[in-house]
Amino acid sequence: MMLLLDSGNSRLKVALVCQDAAGVWQYAAEPVALTHDAVETELPTWVAERLAERLAEPSPAGLAAHVATQATASLALTGSLQGAIGVNVAGPQAAERIARALLPCGIGSIDWQIPGDATLGLRNGYRVPTQLGSDRWMGLVGIWTSVDVQTAPASGQQPRQLVNFGTATTVDTISPDGVFVGGLIVPGWNLMRDALAQRTAQLPTAAGSVLDFPADTHDAITSGSAAAQAGAVLRQWMIARARFGAPPALYITGGASDAVIAEIAQLLALTGVLVPLHRVAHPVLDGLRAVLRQRANHAIGA
Ligand SMILES: Nc1ncnc2c1ncn2[C@@H]1O[C@H](COP(=O)(O)OP(=O)(O)O)[C@@H](O)[C@H]1O
Ligand SMILES: CC(C)(COP(=O)(O)O)[C@@H](O)C(=O)NCCC(=O)O
């Protein structure tokens, strides 16, 4: 079993995966999102509980408590974890905290991924490839390779766009021939509203509705933030459609997706083209799964 980590600016997303008979790394449990403040207490417990469930050991709660409080986990647990691979955009302190939290689970080091020129046939068009956020890159690898996305695939001629409504909002485009051609970084849904509340004298932290013609302060801020988020998506979608001559397939992810997805759908409907919005739960973790698979294939010479 391997541990996958997606350390974003707000939350750490974690998954345990194991290889099936076909060599595909499958989720062994539903991935979880933890705040960074909770990593030291909750991460080792979560890992131990999931491992214990998988190994069908008795008293998972007891084992979890053992791992959380002791310097070393039971041999059966630690022995079943082969390692940890991840991406981190939350800074070195977050990485250290995660590494410390995983020591009792038998993880001595984490294989943090950095974007390169190409991964699994997807080419990185960033001017300095390593400057691209590793979560953005791994998310793109995820929608480029994921089995789950094959259920809602882009045709070979279609560009693909991954929109991540996280702490920041990113809107990234893959050309039909497999090049990440660039993308937007926009203040995220909550950052936008927080910035207005913190940097103006009169504006509150808004709790309004998204309306066409907002007529009070809360609705005006909420609608304005949703419009800015959706406007960024629509801009990239229209530009990519013009550039590649085909409507991009849109993949939506991130903690704040629910707040804005209806606004995007409404704006896209105004374009007169039917554009399905594909929700993807864990594109970054999916990308990491694909990287693991590639490594295994290389190891056996496939
Ligand atoms: N139900 C929700 N509605 C709106 N925003 C949410 C909701 N749940 C989480 N968020 C926001 O989503 C962001 C975190 O999402 P996540 O995808 O984990 O981001 P990151 O990868 O940057 O850590 C935060 O800004 C958080 O406030
Ligand atoms: C753009 C991001 C802040 C998004 O982080 P997130 O909201 O997912 O936590 C992150 O991917 C990042 O720090 N990127 C480095 C700069 C770049 O991608 O150009």
Side-chain angles (χ1 to χ4, degrees):
M1 258 180 286
M2 290 286 294
L3 195 63
L4 310 185
L5 304 161
D6 168 15
S7 171
N9 284 286
S10 298
R11 303 186 299 180
L12 171 70
K13 277 70 72 183
V14 192
L16 260 182
V17 292
C18 53
Q19 234 173 346
D20 67 14
V24 179
W25 289 88
Q26 303 285 4
Y27 293 110
E30 183 60 26
V32 69
L34 306 174
T35 62
H36 288 285
D37 284 345
V39 158
E40 265 140 339
T41 50
E42 292 181 19
L43 179 58
T45 308
W46 185 87
V47 172
E49 283 178 357
R50 299 295 82 75
L51 283 174
E53 281 166 13
R54 287 296 295 191
L55 299 174
E57 288 197 6
S59 179
L63 282 167
H66 172 79
V67 172
T69 56
Q70 304 295 314
T72 52
S74 77
L75 278 179
L77 291 184
T78 55
S80 64
L81 250 192
Q82 294 161 258
I85 181 172
V87 292
N88 172 46
V89 295
Q93 281 187 338
E96 280 163 27
R97 202 178 226 184
I98 295 164
R100 230 179 5 254
L102 288 175
L103 279 175
C105 303
I107 300 289
S109 69
I110 298 164
D111 182 2
W112 294 117
Q113 299 295 294
I114 307 288
D117 291 337
T119 301
L120 288 161
L122 179 66
R123 282 163 289 151
N124 184 350
Y126 233 40
R127 202 169 299 135
V128 180
T130 52
Q131 198 179 65
L132 176 66
S134 49
D135 60 342
R136 293 173 70 190
W137 181 241
M138 211 41 72
L140 289 165
V141 171
I143 63 159
W144 179 245
T145 57
S146 171
V147 175
D148 301 339
V149 170
Q150 304 310 319
T151 57
S155 82
Q157 301 307 311
Q158 255 184 309
R160 301 177 191 196
Q161 293 186 315
L162 177 61
V163 184
N164 183 8
F165 294 107
T167 311
T169 294
T170 51
V171 188
D172 291 327
T173 301
I174 301 175
S175 67
D177 60 346
V179 180
F180 163 57
V181 291
L184 303 183
I185 301 174
V186 184
W189 163 254
N190 283 302
L191 272 187
M192 270 189 183
R193 294 176 319 136
D194 290 350
L196 286 174
Q198 285 163 18
R199 302 294 294 272
T200 63
Q202 298 205 112
L203 297 183
T205 301
S209 302
V210 180
L211 303 174
D212 287 348
F213 299 102
D216 78 18
T217 306
H218 281 269
D219 290 346
I221 295 170
T222 304
S223 304
S225 303
Q229 300 292 322
V233 177
L234 204 70
R235 175 191 191 268
Q236 292 313 97
W237 188 85
M238 294 178 94
I239 286 174
R241 183 178 62 167
R243 163 100 169 254
F244 298 111
L250 265 178
Y251 301 96
I252 309 283
T253 192
S257 301
D258 286 346
V260 282
I261 200 157
E263 180 70 6
I264 300 171
Q266 177 182 310
L267 276 190
L268 284 169
L270 290 176
T271 66
V273 183
L274 184 63
V275 186
L277 300 176
H278 306 300
R279 294 287 287 261
V280 278
H282 311 293
V284 177
L285 300 174
D286 291 341
L288 291 167
R289 287 196 299 147
V291 167
L292 284 180
R293 173 112 200 254
Q294 181 199 35
R295 286 184 182 174
N297 286 345
H298 277 174
I300 60 171

